[in-house]
Amino acid sequence: MACNGVNGDSLGNGFHYVLEDVPHLTDYLPDLPGYPNPLQDNPAYSAVKQYFVNVDDAVAQNVVVQNNSPRGTHFRRAGPRQKVLFESDEVHACIVTCGGLCPGLNTVIREIVCGLYHMYGVRTVVGIEGGYKGFYARNTIPLTPKMVNNIHKRGGTILGTSRGGHNTTKIVDSIQHRGINQVYILGGDGTQKGAAAIFEEIKRRGLKVAVAGIPKTIDNDIPVIDKSFGFDTAVEEAQRAISAAHVESESNDNCIGLVKLMGRNSGFIAMYATLASRDVDCCLIPESPFYLEGEGGLFEYIEHCIEEQGHMVIVIAEGAGQELILKSMHKLDEQDASGNKLHQDVGLWISQQIKDYFKKKKKITINLKYIDPTYMIRAVPSIASDNIFCTLLAHSAIHGAMAGYTGFTVGPVNGRHAYIPFNRIIERQNKVVITDRMWARLLSSTNQPSFLHPKHMDGEQENGKNPQLNG
């Protein structure tokens, strides 16, 4: 029913496309029966014309092409199918959240539970407590529409979360022992790698279990998809910190308002919050190297701003300048339980560097206000646009699992939700392209120098971030 790397020529013009398809339960359980989708009798959906997605519908990864361009990579379009592989009373679904917090987690949980219940008549859904290790170390939580009705108004996750704890054999043993046959996994790239391993073990055992991932990262660094849920909320919440820094800097002589935002390896939150704010004089992100001293360095620019306007606001992503810190502190890289590189606190470090520089100069006495809203930003409830987005993600995952698709993650690709193979989500991280127009807009908005030597510009290539965010 599903094949990877399908070559098509539906236009008959020689311009082929590749369908990067996702696995289907019938790939290894070919005799599974199908059933009519209960949505066809649901009064809320049966009135919608062409509600079911055509089995051949695909979503293009690239929408900007030239006259003679090949049609390129496509993904299977998400949505309900006319036939499903699970009967309603057969489904025993579970939901697990892993990794760090992100606005919208509770909304996704709510919409999976309510979507399964109201759209497909599923009555058995449980939550796995405390991340992956909860499969074999903790109890499950029964989830009903009544129980989850108001959880979208809260930050965090009602299921709890953790990093690490992934043991594929123990997890699949637990899934098999509990009779679970749909697994919904919310987490970032490390979590999705774990989900891919769970799918492979389930396939090896020949189990009728659909594994669906919903990618979660507040940093918006997941490839292929347009953006990740919680990102809009994070940018909105970051405005509060930037606004506070701006008020402080304007109200005190020679004042620098310094705000540290999330962004371990990708500076999207810092970049978009800066562009939205219009009050920022300098934005520093992991993708754009900078140096402190000398001509064209950060200190020179700070001095210029203080002399010209008497104040300034600096936004720095948590992963920026890490090589400078490690060099100055003579430290080696360390990792957390999820395998992520542990970063030093660049906000405190650069605050001290700025203070020390102006203390030596004795020319200007500065007043520095440091604001770190990191955990406030990721712990807040999601805003309206993210709530809608989370609903669409949850429903896409449900439709895919019910139709028998497995080993996939969901997300919008050029505005259309699609099923994406795990390997495409975990192969790399998205990063801000500093030779792209969006970064140029930021430089124009802040009037900051690029802090780049010509050698940094060599080889900088577009890394595939979707044009909705970067263009």
Side-chain angles (χ1 to χ4, degrees):
M1 186 169 180
C3 298
N4 289 320
V6 176
N7 286 321
D9 185 13
S10 58
L11 294 182
N13 57 9
F15 292 154
H16 295 278
Y17 73 88
V18 175
L19 176 63
E20 292 209 16
D21 210 348
V22 296
H24 194 268
L25 289 173
T26 55
D27 292 346
Y28 62 93
L29 297 171
D31 298 326
L32 289 178
Y35 311 96
N37 193 321
L39 283 173
Q40 66 187 18
D41 301 317
N42 188 314
Y45 298 94
S46 59
V48 180
K49 292 183 178 179
Q50 297 181 336
Y51 184 75
F52 294 112
V53 172
N54 188 298
V55 69
D56 293 324
D57 282 359
V59 179
Q61 182 174 10
N62 296 317
V63 294
V64 179
V65 296
Q66 297 175 340
N67 286 340
N68 58 351
S69 297
R71 294 182 61 199
T73 299
H74 290 61
F75 301 102
R76 189 170 289 278
R77 185 182 177 189
R81 269 56 178 176
Q82 287 186 312
K83 294 287 185 181
V84 296
L85 260 63
F86 292 91
E87 292 188 283
S88 301
D89 57 2
E90 169 195 5
V91 176
H92 185 175
C94 77
I95 307 169
V96 64
T97 53
C98 306
L101 294 182
C102 178
L105 280 169
N106 279 334
T107 307
V108 176
I109 294 168
R110 180 190 190 278
E111 297 310 316
I112 291 174
V113 174
C114 293
L116 282 169
Y117 189 97
H118 295 300
M119 291 192 294
Y120 288 99
V122 173
R123 297 295 184 263
T124 309
V125 185
V126 297
I128 305 296
E129 288 188 294
Y132 275 138
K133 63 185 179 183
F135 275 102
Y136 52 86
R138 299 195 182 196
N139 294 325
T140 57
I141 305 172
L143 299 175
T144 63
K146 183 177 180 180
M147 178 196 172
V148 301
N149 187 49
N150 291 312
I151 64 172
H152 62 292
K153 299 174 183 177
R154 299 185 236 160
T157 165
I158 63 164
L159 302 180
T161 186
S162 65
R163 296 190 184 277
H166 185 277
N167 183 310
T168 304
T169 301
K170 286 185 177 181
I171 290 171
V172 179
D173 284 347
S174 175
I175 290 170
Q176 193 169 2
H177 175 72
R178 296 171 193 262
I180 292 168
N181 53 21
Q182 288 186 10
V183 184
Y184 297 92
I185 301 174
L186 285 62
D189 55 354
T191 300
Q192 301 300 312
K193 287 177 185 176
I198 291 169
F199 158 70
E200 291 295 341
E201 178 62 15
I202 284 172
K203 179 181 176 182
R204 189 187 69 79
R205 298 188 190 188
L207 305 177
K208 184 187 177 183
V209 180
V211 180
I214 298 179
K216 169 214 62 94
T217 168
I218 201 169
D219 293 344
N220 197 47
D221 58 2
I222 291 177
V224 180
I225 64 175
D226 297 344
K227 65 177 177 181
S228 51
F229 74 85
F231 177 71
D232 284 352
T233 303
V235 171
E236 185 70 28
E237 191 66 17
Q239 300 299 294
R240 301 177 188 272
I242 293 173
S243 178
H246 184 242
V247 169
E248 285 285 352
S249 67
E250 278 199 320
S251 302
N252 294 278
D253 288 338
N254 297 333
C255 188
I256 300 169
L258 176 64
V259 180
K260 184 183 81 172
L261 297 177
M262 298 192 77
R264 273 199 311 248
N265 303 301
S266 303
F268 288 105
I269 292 178
M271 179 172 72
Y272 277 83
T274 294
L275 281 166
S277 167
R278 310 292 177 183
D279 290 329
V280 179
D281 299 290
C282 183
C283 177
L284 303 171
I285 61 173
E287 297 89 338
S288 183
F290 65 92
Y291 54 102
L292 301 179
E293 303 195 52
E295 185 178 351
L298 179 62
F299 291 155
E300 181 185 77
Y301 178 60
I302 293 174
E303 197 169 344
H304 167 76
C305 287
I306 295 296
E307 289 176 347
E308 287 289 316
Q309 57 194 35
H311 59 85
M312 78 176 299
V313 174
I314 301 173
V315 167
I316 187 165
E318 62 181 323
Q322 290 296 315
E323 69 286 347
L324 298 177
I325 304 176
L326 293 175
K327 186 177 179 181
S328 69
M329 299 175 70
H330 306 289
K331 280 199 169 190
L332 299 176
D333 287 339
E334 299 174 293
Q335 293 184 333
D336 65 15
S338 296
N340 300 310
K341 186 188 292 185
L342 280 174
H343 288 323
Q344 306 299 318
D345 192 329
V346 70
L348 290 175
W349 179 82
I350 205 163
S351 295
Q352 193 59 51
Q353 297 296 313
I354 293 170
K355 290 175 183 176
D356 290 346
Y357 173 78
F358 282 98
K359 189 175 181 180
K360 288 177 189 174
K361 291 282 288 185
K362 297 180 180 178
K363 181 180 176 184
I364 302 174
T365 301
I366 63 151
N367 191 346
L368 191 143
K369 310 291 185 182
Y370 174 46
I371 299 174
D372 180 358
T374 301
Y375 294 103
M376 293 174 64
I377 286 175
R378 73 179 194 173
V380 300
S382 52
I383 61 175
S385 61
D386 267 325
N387 274 335
I388 296 169
F389 185 19
C390 289
T391 300
L392 297 178
L393 289 170
H395 287 189
S396 292
I398 292 168
H399 294 317
M402 289 297 297
Y405 293 107
T406 182
F408 68 88
T409 192
V410 297
V413 178
N414 294 314
R416 295 284 187 180
H417 283 242
Y419 299 134
I420 305 161
F422 279 134
N423 66 289
R424 290 300 310 274
I425 293 295
I426 63 181
E427 64 187 1
R428 62 177 175 83
Q429 287 184 317
N430 261 336
K431 296 181 183 293
V432 174
V433 181
I434 58 174
T435 54
D436 189 49
R437 288 195 300 275
M438 189 58 79
W439 185 244
R441 294 182 185 113
L442 180 138
L443 296 179
S444 176
S445 172
T446 61
N447 290 317
Q448 72 187 67
S450 68
F451 302 119
L452 279 176
H453 291 296
K455 65 178 182 180
H456 292 137
M457 302 295 288
D458 295 338
E460 181 68 30
Q461 299 291 331
E462 176 67 60
N463 71 352
K465 188 66 184 176
N466 289 298
Q468 283 85 346
L469 283 183
N470 258 19

